[in-house]
């Protein structure tokens, strides 16, 4: 089992403090997770792509980056579009893989 301890929510997504993860074995090992540079790089690429999404009535929101997996929420028209998987994988994921070191995959969250 994995326990997560975090400070109260910040005012913006980019102000999140690092999470502290504890596993429940007897030694209670502690792992600090700080992916702020990757989050900044992902956000920068998303900001470049955003005008194309907005032009079609959609948008995306960065939810989390965990172990190189970028979690995005598609908004507006993108959230219900039958081509959203293509947009996510062939467009957004490809751009992130090329421009942000450490990104391995993009997943859609709802």
């Amino acid at each position: 089992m994995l326990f997560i301890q975090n400070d109260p929510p910040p005012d913006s997504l980019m102000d999140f403090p690092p999470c502290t993860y504890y596993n429940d074995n007897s030694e209670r090992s502690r792992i600090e997770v700080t992916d702020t540079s990757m989050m900044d790089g992902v956000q920068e690429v998303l900001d470049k792509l955003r005008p194309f999404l907005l032009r079609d009535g959609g948008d995306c929101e960065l939810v989390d980056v965990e172990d190189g997996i970028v979690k995005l929420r598609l908004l507006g028209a993108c959230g219900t579009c039958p081509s959203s998987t293509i947009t996510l994988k062939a467009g957004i994921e490809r751009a992130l893989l090329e421009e942000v070191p450490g990104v391995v995959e993009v997943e859609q969250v709802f």
Side-chain angles (χ1 to χ4, degrees):
M1 183 181 279
L2 187 67
F3 299 99
I4 301 172
Q5 172 187 338
N6 206 346
D7 296 331
D11 293 330
S12 77
L13 181 65
M14 300 314 293
D15 295 331
F16 269 102
C19 293
T20 304
Y21 292 86
Y22 296 96
N23 60 23
D24 65 347
N25 63 16
S26 60
E27 58 203 40
R28 302 246 332 154
S29 63
R30 180 178 164 158
I31 307 163
E32 290 287 333
V33 178
T34 56
D35 266 344
T36 56
S37 63
M38 187 180 290
M39 292 276 283
D40 292 342
V42 168
Q43 190 62 55
E44 186 176 316
V45 172
L46 292 178
D47 290 342
K48 289 180 192 176
L49 298 174
R50 185 162 281 114
F52 300 103
L53 298 172
L54 291 172
R55 183 178 59 198
D56 291 328
D59 200 357
C60 68
E61 171 188 24
L62 177 59
V63 175
D64 193 15
V65 177
E66 184 178 310
D67 298 326
I69 299 172
V70 177
K71 297 181 181 185
L72 297 178
R73 181 173 293 120
L74 297 178
L75 306 170
C78 288
T80 58
C81 177
S83 299
S84 64
T85 302
I86 295 168
T87 299
L88 191 71
K89 291 294 185 177
I92 297 172
E93 182 177 78
R94 187 173 56 96
L96 289 171
L97 288 170
E98 289 175 4
E99 296 191 36
V100 182
V103 171
V104 294
E105 184 182 8
V106 175
E107 291 182 354
Q108 181 177 359
V109 296
F110 300 93

